[in-house]
């Protein structure tokens, strides 16, 4: 059975609040955020939203970032107590491997032939590491997943840090976003 939230009843008064609750909430970074010398994921200051108890949300988005190849980026989500769900991200792995015109591969090299991406899904409270190619060479991760809250409301936030500590900042760029829609 398809899920929709809320499900207005016949004759129910349509209010601005009701209509807004039916819309996708877009969380967009309005400024770059750089983090250096830290491997402890923390909530991104722009990519977070208060979520209700006993609710189901689906989300997708895009993260644009760069950093030193030796630092990489670790990405995850902070969720309310007891929340469950799964997320995935399509982005470069820790060792970025690209193809060559001759059918071979090369590591940590951007080429016109492209390179491999991570495809795993993971529990909503766990993290994944994505590769960096160097400052000035932005990469992207396409994010998607489902969040099911339990008895506790709270904040749903994208968290991130460097995978290996570096004095050179890893940066998540302006216009990275998450679209979040409550479906039940």
């Amino acid at each position: 059975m398809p899920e929709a939230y809320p499900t207005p009843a016949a004759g129910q008064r349509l209010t601005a609040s009701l209509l807004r609750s039916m819309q996708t909430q877009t969380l967009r970074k309005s400024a770059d955020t750089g983090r250096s010398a830290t491997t402890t994921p923390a909530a991104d200051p722009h990519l977070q939203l208060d979520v209700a108890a006993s609710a189901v949300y689906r989300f997708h988005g895009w993260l644009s970032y760069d950093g030193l190849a030796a630092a990489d980026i670790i990405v995850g989500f902070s969720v309310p107590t007891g929340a469950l769900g799964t997320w995935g991200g399509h982005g470069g792995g820790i060792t970025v491997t690209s193809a060559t015109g001759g059918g071979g591969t090369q590591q940590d090299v951007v080429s016109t032939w492209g390179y491999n991406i991570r495809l795993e899904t993971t529990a909503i409270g766990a993290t994944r590491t994505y590769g960096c190619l160097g400052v000035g060479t932005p990469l992207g991760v396409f994010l998607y997943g489902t969040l099911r809250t339990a008895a506790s409301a709270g904040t749903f936030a994208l968290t991130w840090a460097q995978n290996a500590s570096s004095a050179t900042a890893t940066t998540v760029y302006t216009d990275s976003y998450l679209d979040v829609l409550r479906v039940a």
Side-chain angles (χ1 to χ4, degrees), residues 34-44 63 65-66 71-76 127-130 132 158-166 169-172:
R35 293 186 177 154
S36 58
T38 181
T39 58
T40 303
D44 186 275
L63 195 65
Y65 69 95
D66 77 7
D72 296 321
I73 188 171
I74 188 167
V75 177
T127 59
R128 286 280 177 212
T129 304
Y130 295 93
C132 292
L158 181 120
T159 63
W160 63 277
Q162 294 175 320
N163 188 51
S165 184
S166 171
T170 297
T171 302
V172 173

Side-chain angles (χ1 to χ4, degrees), residues 111-154:
S111 77
T112 58
W113 303 102
Y115 39 90
N116 295 332
I117 60 171
R118 294 194 76 159
L119 300 172
E120 308 95 336
T121 59
T122 191
I124 195 70
T127 59
R128 286 280 177 212
T129 304
Y130 295 93
C132 292
L133 291 176
V135 174
T137 307
L139 293 175
V141 177
F142 292 98
L143 303 165
Y144 53 90
T146 304
L147 168 67
R148 298 184 320 271
T149 60
S152 298

